[in-house]
Amino acid sequence: MARRTITDTDGAIYEFTPALEAVTTVESGAALTIETRDSLDGAIQDESDVLESVPEEVNAATGPIALEGAAPGDVLRVEIEEIRLAGDRGRVITIDGFGLLDGHEDIVAPRTRMTPVDGDSLAFGDLEVPVDPVIGTIGVAPAAESYTTLVPHDHGGNLDTTDVTAGNTIYFPVFQDGAMLAMGDCKAAMADGEMCGTGAEIATEIDVTVDVIDDPAVGLERPLVETPEAWKSIASAETLEAACELANQDALDLLMAEHEFDATDAYLFSSLVGGLEISQVVDPLVTVRNAVPKEYLTDPF
Amino acid sequence: MARRTITDTDGAIYEFTPALEAVTTVESGAALTIETRDSLDGAIQDESDVLESVPEEVNAATGPIALEGAAPGDVLRVEIEEIRLAGDRGRVITIDGFGLLDGHEDIVAPRTRMTPVDGDSLAFGDLEVPVDPVIGTIGVAPAAESYTTLVPHDHGGNLDTTDVTAGNTIYFPVFQDGAMLAMGDCKAAMADGEMCGTGAEIATEIDVTVDVIDDPAVGLERPLVETPEAWKSIASAETLEAACELANQDALDLLMAEHEFDATDAYLFSSLVGGLEISQVVDPLVTVRNAVPKEYLTDPF
């Protein structure tokens, strides 16, 4: 089956809504290449380009793509095979009103630094940063509310999670017929936390294989990412503490589905292995994950 | 120079105060073995032993140990060479009023699970957890306030940080003459986050080498840990968000000391490499760290 290409000129959204219209429909098992533009729609091309405020539309997500047969209660599996940079430089910026240290007196906003791509590295001034691309925004049509592509929530969206990278697989609950997958907002590199509010923002081509898991053994309420070493629940909330509670509860559900644990034993066990990780601390909701090593969890679906 | 042993019967504290009295004085460069009792002072010996509330005294820290010549403004370097378990089982517990999911209806508190040690593993029911000891509480005499050993702050204390382990080195600001190092509250294994409020609590023998860094090139306001891969600032605060701000600012100070960065460029760069990590989300103040890979930071002192 040939790999199909879907570009941002086919369609791109700035809001995940319950009633998205698909730009195309693909069968479960389809191999796709998804082209994404940079999160700032090309507005920043050199260091003299700065953003005075967060634009009304950011993080254009290519799609949405309908999955044939996907229905509420299913799980959408997105295997991320490769992320190729489609630009020769990233950009990392401060914007007034945004970022972990926003308002600190020694932090200048707006500022833009370009990070030229040189083979497997980015240049930040004299320093080299390994290229390690991340998909910042990826999700499906939500259950009831709408969320701009600046917001992460149970449908995914602006998760800004370094584990959403090539070699890993991300799973979403399906809330609407067709699931309605869309993605964009890629970074050539990003720290856990995304402290200034961006990574090295860049256009990409993403190879994925998408599958619908009918009647999953374990249902999902929120995204889940699989790395070679671990299963990681992903949760977003108003505070990091609230996100930690959700991510831990999701991890307990997985542990209880596999082991003879009640919730309390799962909780005690979860305090011994893997643990809580920070995805991002800068978006309108913040995001954490709870890693459980694969020694203790097989594929839950 | 012979390795000296200091035991919890020589002395142990439940509070880090500015005016601690040393149980012994050692020279800079001393090799020490420090014996620690379990964080619950032996109160939990089997699964029928439970704690109805957090005891007034927990996390006994063996010491304090004065370092000859250490003076305010210096840095205390503690190289952690080995942590040997001194008990045949750990204990992981819930206590009413404590822990990330405290008050959730499916979480039973109090409950105790014993984790017998079997070679390089702990048993949690049928599951094996690798032994990977962590020093939960380690610190020095604080600048002005006093902190019980349940609290983490700028002096260290109850940091509950998985990187405080054998093979790594932790650095503290010296606030008082002699520094006054004390440590205890070890775990045979612990997840990042320490969600239920404990790891597998156990007595240990810890081999360390301690050094006073006079007139450091970079001063410290808070603890810093060095792993084989990274330098990680460690910060504790009322909320995870506030702790992230402090840890990130400390990382920027290190980056600025080494590179031709102003604070804003250091902030932008910090958003591309390493990143924010969760230490613990359950103590009276919560703790995070900001990792910067060693490619970008040499020894700052």
Side-chain angles (χ1 to χ4, degrees), chain B residues 25-50:
Chain B
T25 298
V26 303
E27 66 285 18
S28 183
L32 308 175
T33 294
I34 297 168
E35 297 183 3
T36 69
R37 48 188 194 256
D38 78 64
S39 63
L40 304 164
D41 282 344
I44 304 284
Q45 293 303 331
D46 64 49
E47 295 189 351
S48 65
D49 294 332
V50 298

Side-chain angles (χ1 to χ4, degrees), chain A residues 100-101 104 106 108 111 113 128 191-192 195-196 240-241 245 249 262 264-265 267 270-271 274-276 296, chain B residues 100-101 104 108 111 113 128 191-192 195-196 240-241 245 249 262 264-265 267 270-271 274-276 296:
Chain A
L100 177 65
L101 300 186
H104 285 239
D106 55 351
V108 177
R111 180 180 287 179
R113 290 288 177 228
E128 289 186 359
D192 281 318
M195 292 74 115
C196 76
L240 287 166
E241 281 79 356
E245 285 194 40
Q249 287 176 286
D262 66 3
T264 308
D265 280 348
Y267 178 50
S270 79
S271 303
L276 296 170
Y296 309 109
Chain B
L100 178 65
L101 300 185
H104 284 240
V108 177
R111 180 180 286 179
R113 291 288 177 228
E128 289 185 0
D192 281 318
M195 293 74 113
C196 77
L240 287 166
E241 281 80 356
E245 285 193 40
Q249 287 176 286
D262 68 2
T264 308
D265 280 348
Y267 178 49
S270 79
S271 302
L276 296 169
Y296 309 110

Side-chain angles (χ1 to χ4, degrees), chain B residues 172-224:
Chain B
F172 296 95
V174 175
F175 296 112
Q176 304 292 344
D177 285 342
M180 303 295 171
L181 176 68
M183 67 189 76
D185 176 33
C186 293
K187 297 94 173 50
M190 192 189 93
D192 281 318
E194 202 191 26
M195 293 74 113
C196 77
T198 73
E201 309 294 304
I202 199 161
T204 65
E205 300 170 1
I206 307 167
D207 290 346
V208 297
T209 295
V210 291
D211 286 282
V212 178
I213 304 172
D214 281 327
D215 196 18
V218 172
L220 286 185
E221 288 185 60
R222 277 171 285 275
L224 175 71

Side-chain angles (χ1 to χ4, degrees), chain A residues 5-238:
Chain A
T5 297
I6 296 151
T7 75
D8 59 316
T9 52
D10 293 328
I13 57 171
Y14 294 98
E15 191 171 35
F16 286 93
T17 71
L20 290 170
E21 273 191 41
V23 298
T24 188
T25 298
V26 304
E27 66 284 19
S28 183
L32 308 175
T33 295
I34 297 168
E35 297 183 3
T36 68
R37 50 185 191 257
D38 77 63
S39 63
L40 303 165
D41 284 345
I44 304 284
Q45 293 304 331
D46 63 50
E47 294 190 351
S48 66
D49 294 332
V50 298
L51 286 184
E52 297 292 341
S53 61
V54 178
E56 204 153 306
E57 294 190 328
V58 289
N59 300 343
T62 300
I65 302 158
L67 272 285
E68 248 175 49
D74 293 345
V75 166
L76 175 63
R77 181 180 193 277
V78 182
E79 185 181 352
I80 306 166
E81 289 148 343
E82 192 175 347
I83 306 174
R84 292 178 296 280
L85 303 186
D88 60 1
R89 59 214 147 142
R91 64 278 293 151
V92 54
I93 68 175
T94 54
I95 306 175
D96 188 33
F98 197 59
L100 177 65
L101 300 186
D102 177 52
H104 285 239
E105 63 177 349
D106 55 351
I107 300 298
V108 177
R111 180 180 287 179
T112 293
R113 290 288 177 228
M114 300 305 295
T115 60
V117 178
D118 180 11
D120 293 338
S121 298
L122 304 175
F124 185 100
D126 295 339
L127 298 178
E128 289 186 359
V129 173
V131 169
D132 191 2
V134 173
I135 305 173
T137 298
I138 180 168
V140 297
E145 303 287 319
S146 295
Y147 302 91
T148 75
T149 45
L150 189 63
V151 179
H153 202 257
D154 298 350
H155 69 291
N158 194 16
L159 298 173
D160 287 328
T161 293
T162 52
D163 286 311
V164 184
T165 189
N168 294 346
T169 299
I170 185 164
Y171 301 78
F172 297 95
V174 175
F175 295 112
Q176 304 293 344
D177 286 342
M180 302 295 172
L181 176 67
M183 68 189 74
D185 176 33
C186 293
K187 296 97 172 49
M190 192 188 93
D192 281 318
E194 203 191 25
M195 292 74 115
C196 76
T198 73
E201 310 294 305
I202 199 161
T204 65
E205 302 170 359
I206 307 167
D207 290 346
V208 297
T209 296
V210 290
D211 285 282
V212 178
I213 303 172
D214 282 328
D215 197 19
V218 172
L220 286 186
E221 288 184 62
R222 276 172 286 276
L224 176 71
V225 66
E226 178 187 2
T227 76
E229 297 81 27
W231 293 87
K232 303 186 183 187
S233 54
I234 303 175
S236 303
E238 292 276 348

